[in-house]
Amino acid sequence: MTNVLVSRSWIWQIVGFSLGVWLLWTVLQGAAQAGDFSALRDADPMLLVLMLVLSLASSVCNAALFTLVSRPLQHQPSLSLQRMVPLNFSCGALNYAPFRLGALTRVAWHIRVDGMNASRVSALMAMAGGWYLLVGLTAFGAFWLRPSADWGTLGLGLLLLPAGWALGRMGIAKLPGGLFREARPMLNNPRASLECAGLRILDLMCFTGRLLVGARILNIELGLAEGVLLAVVATFASLVPFGRLGFREAGVAGAAGAIGSIDPGLRDQLSLLDSAAEAAAYVPLGLVLSVLWLRPHFKRVQSKSC
């Protein structure tokens, strides 16, 4: 029975990754059909650097989120920011590979290097993912209900965030006993919750800023509310379990098309430019860290266990 489930999982991963490649190809075709890449060729180098910096900052925010989520856990000092930053870059680069290799690497790291059990790792991943969903849905709801991007939008978001957090706590309380037992310290720590919310908001601002800068490069009129909505779509599409490739590009391009005022070719170019800026930050540095930092840590742990 287990072998059958594993085989089906591999089949779904192959199908999902193939779908992602096809989606990426359609976005590339759409961008190519626009035929005009003059805005990209004439782009201000400082704007491109700014997109890269925002991508780096987003990765650091994500790494810090894992550190803060784990802070209430006792006897778990290994999830320091100094270790989570290189781990996050390595996993981010590996997530471009099939089978969500980066997520599998993170799980293996927490079990083998940090010495966590499966329940604690599951709770940690669930809490980190939960903050992604909570802040993303809050921002989406606030800007959807009040797209004017004013103080009223901010107030609406501040009302939706604690309401969503309370609903999330109720949902997590229904998790299996082991998972809830591990997640309870994270849920019951107000300071960690506030810090995690702040980090996710900062991360979303990095996503939004990168899209707005990309829109400026391509001479696309994109308002703050529209930028936030696209950033939420980009964040959620990045969590697709079949891999990072293709789904986010298609999601951002499709959401930009739903706005209605963006040329089809330009919306595809915006999606690809945004993804390229993130890949430029993650892939080279992440692969180097995977070889020079991640792999030696795994080998050191393996040698100690022998």
Side-chain angles (χ1 to χ4, degrees):
M1 183 65 178
T2 303
N3 291 334
V4 173
L5 292 176
V6 171
S7 299
R8 288 180 178 177
S9 176
W10 277 89
I11 291 173
W12 277 112
Q13 286 291 329
I14 293 172
V15 171
F17 185 77
S18 301
L19 176 60
V21 172
W22 177 78
L23 289 172
L24 179 61
W25 174 248
T26 60
V27 176
L28 285 168
Q29 282 187 316
Q33 288 173 0
D36 184 8
F37 293 92
S38 58
L40 283 174
R41 288 194 300 267
D42 301 333
D44 184 350
M46 292 306 298
L47 293 179
L48 296 174
V49 170
L50 179 56
M51 293 186 73
L52 182 64
V53 170
L54 288 170
S55 299
L56 294 171
S58 174
S59 180
V60 173
C61 288
N62 191 27
L65 178 67
F66 276 89
T67 299
L68 292 178
V69 165
S70 65
R71 177 181 289 173
L73 299 176
Q74 296 180 353
H75 313 299
Q76 204 63 60
S78 57
L79 274 73
S80 64
L81 186 60
Q82 291 83 354
R83 290 162 70 95
M84 289 300 99
V85 168
L87 177 64
N88 200 69
F89 275 108
S90 298
C91 294
L94 294 174
N95 271 334
Y96 286 88
F99 314 120
R100 204 71 190 188
L101 187 58
L104 294 176
T105 301
R106 184 183 289 277
V107 171
W109 171 277
H110 291 316
I111 292 176
R112 296 180 58 184
V113 179
D114 294 329
M116 293 184 176
N117 57 40
S119 293
R120 176 161 289 192
V121 174
S122 299
L124 180 69
M125 301 286 280
M127 290 298 298
W131 281 110
Y132 270 86
L133 293 174
L134 175 58
V135 173
L137 290 174
T138 297
F140 189 90
F143 280 96
W144 183 269
L145 294 172
R146 192 178 178 88
S148 54
D150 54 14
W151 289 106
T153 309
L154 177 61
L156 185 58
L158 293 177
L159 289 174
L160 291 174
L161 188 61
W165 180 75
L167 290 174
R169 287 195 64 180
M170 293 172 58
I172 292 175
K174 296 181 180 180
L175 291 173
L179 286 179
F180 179 59
R181 185 169 55 251
E182 295 290 353
R184 186 182 298 159
M186 308 180 218
L187 286 170
N188 294 335
N189 190 304
R191 178 184 173 185
S193 296
L194 287 173
E195 290 173 339
C196 288
L199 268 176
R200 277 301 302 132
I201 292 171
L202 183 59
D203 188 20
L204 188 63
M205 290 171 61
C206 291
F207 269 74
T208 304
R210 191 173 61 216
L211 282 160
L212 292 176
V213 173
R216 180 176 177 181
I217 291 173
L218 297 173
N219 299 315
I220 297 173
E221 292 186 6
L222 193 68
L224 177 60
E226 297 164 337
V228 171
L229 295 178
L230 291 183
V232 172
V233 171
T235 302
F236 287 176
S238 298
L239 301 177
V240 172
F242 303 120
R244 158 69 181 75
L245 203 64
F247 292 94
R248 176 165 147 187
E249 290 78 10
V252 172
I259 293 174
S261 59
I262 303 177
D263 179 84
L266 287 177
R267 75 190 184 204
D268 291 331
Q269 289 184 20
L270 175 62
S271 173
L272 292 171
L273 178 59
D274 176 64
S275 292
E278 185 177 82
Y282 273 92
V283 176
L285 181 58
L287 291 179
V288 169
L289 288 170
S290 296
V291 175
L292 300 181
W293 183 83
L294 188 69
R295 187 167 177 267
H297 272 78
F298 275 119
K299 292 184 69 175
R300 195 175 302 123
V301 171
Q302 185 177 4
S303 63
K304 288 181 180 179
S305 62
C306 293

